[in-house]
Amino acid sequence: MLNEKQIQRFYEDGFLVVEDFVSEQSCKHIMDQAAGLIHDFQPADRPTIFTSDEQVRHSDQYFLSSGEKIHFFLEEEALDKAGNFTVDKMQSINKIGHGLHLLDPVYRDFVAGCNFPAIARDLNVADPYLLQSMHIFKQPKIGGEVSLHQDSSFLWTEPLSCVGFWIALEDATLENGCLQALKGGHHMALKKRFHRNDKGGTSFEVLDDSPWPDQPLDVLEVKAGTLIILHGALPHYSAANRSDKSRQAFTIHVVDDACEYAKDNWLKRN
Ligand code: FE2
């Protein structure tokens, strides 16, 4: 699936941009499916907000049980202090996760067509397992910032093996909150680890408290249909979206089943 030059680039930079990976028609098909799911979604009395900064606070049962379900998480600014919606339901969703690839036939077909396991094998993942999928919306005006993080912090294996696949469903620009990455940063140790606690809930364990290097982030502005492959230890970030355009993306994370999957990862596996 990948040529030698692409593989080398991935190992050097910690990420790889593959343009024209899927058609605009496929992107639209997935976005239409998401719109249908949101239309049918009935927000609970106490909707769950997703923010990466406050993952611990928002790690309630709805989040922790979403690994093999289709659950809906709101943008933080979609609710006011009194808990009332500030926007229409269709513009309120931060993301849908994390079992879309398992449960929804449209997403399942889309994922099958992408052949992620074959790409993962090119990147030395011996036994690729499609662990979690997300449809991310980055809604107009209220799309939340995602702070600098490493995906392996959330999906721990021994040894580390997580690879992220991120597909732009719409053009991603600096204005609407495209990905930004710390090129070569995957050579650094993991900063922290997110896991379940013995007595319930979750917490971050600090593994390395040294500051992030003082290096500008690469701004990854890409067209709809572009795939960005992310090494699990690559620090990446996206800014809040204050523009009037959404920045939808589909992501899937793969781990190597030849590695040991941590039992206290937030996402439980059967
Ligand atoms: Fe990420």
Side-chain angles (χ1 to χ4, degrees), residues 42-255:
Q42 297 298 326
D45 291 335
R46 192 178 59 79
T48 292
I49 292 167
F50 179 82
T51 75
S52 62
D53 281 341
E54 297 186 76
Q55 191 65 70
V56 174
R57 183 158 73 83
H58 296 303
S59 285
D60 58 16
Q61 214 37 49
Y62 186 74
F63 171 75
L64 290 173
S65 64
S66 67
E68 293 177 332
K69 300 212 173 75
I70 295 176
H71 282 184
F72 300 78
F73 301 91
L74 300 179
E75 295 283 7
E76 190 162 26
E77 293 177 31
L79 298 178
D80 64 18
K81 285 203 174 84
N84 301 311
F85 277 87
T86 59
V87 292
D88 184 82
K89 181 178 79 169
M90 298 303 292
Q91 274 81 51
S92 70
I93 304 296
N94 171 288
K95 68 176 181 180
I96 309 175
H98 292 84
L100 287 162
H101 63 300
L102 303 171
L103 300 174
D104 184 282
V106 172
Y107 284 93
R108 209 160 42 212
D109 286 353
F110 177 76
V111 167
C114 292
N115 207 353
F116 296 117
I119 305 174
R121 277 191 288 271
D122 283 346
L123 300 173
N124 243 354
V125 179
D127 189 3
Y129 179 77
L130 302 181
L131 185 59
Q132 66 165 31
S133 52
M134 292 184 275
H135 190 126
I136 300 168
F137 293 87
K138 208 67 142 173
Q139 298 287 357
K141 307 288 185 194
I142 62 165
E145 175 191 53
V146 178
S147 58
L148 198 63
H149 69 280
Q150 297 158 298
D151 289 342
S152 282
S153 293
F154 300 90
L155 303 168
W156 186 273
T157 62
E158 294 272 2
L160 295 178
S161 64
C162 174
V163 177
F165 295 89
W166 186 100
I167 295 174
L169 300 174
E170 298 179 295
D171 294 351
T173 65
L174 197 52
E175 288 69 39
N176 67 4
C178 66
L179 282 185
Q180 302 188 39
L182 192 74
K183 188 185 275 187
H186 61 303
H187 294 303
M188 294 185 308
L190 276 199
K191 293 283 184 208
K192 55 188 178 180
R193 186 181 164 221
F194 179 72
H195 60 81
R196 291 181 187 241
N197 299 327
D198 289 345
K199 292 179 179 166
T202 56
S203 54
F204 277 108
E205 178 186 349
V206 175
L207 306 173
D208 172 7
D209 62 1
S210 61
W212 295 109
D214 187 18
Q215 172 189 328
L217 300 176
D218 278 35
V219 176
L220 306 181
E221 291 191 301
V222 295
K223 289 271 175 218
T226 300
L227 166 68
I228 301 178
I229 309 173
L230 301 160
H231 188 287
L234 181 81
H236 56 285
Y237 161 86
S238 64
N241 180 13
R242 300 299 176 200
S243 79
D244 53 13
K245 288 195 177 114
S246 59
R247 190 233 63 191
Q248 296 193 42
F250 176 78
T251 76
I252 197 151
H253 287 86
V254 169
V255 291

Side-chain angles (χ1 to χ4, degrees), residues 12-55:
E12 273 174 23
D13 296 345
F15 64 89
L16 177 70
V17 177
V18 182
E19 292 175 351
D20 300 318
F21 181 72
V22 294
S23 68
E24 290 214 23
Q25 197 183 356
S26 295
C27 294
K28 186 170 183 316
H29 194 42
I30 284 292
M31 289 192 290
D32 287 347
Q33 182 67 4
L37 292 174
I38 297 170
H39 182 268
D40 295 341
F41 164 61
Q42 297 298 326
D45 291 335
R46 192 178 59 79
T48 292
I49 292 167
F50 179 82
T51 75
S52 62
D53 281 341
E54 297 186 76
Q55 191 65 70

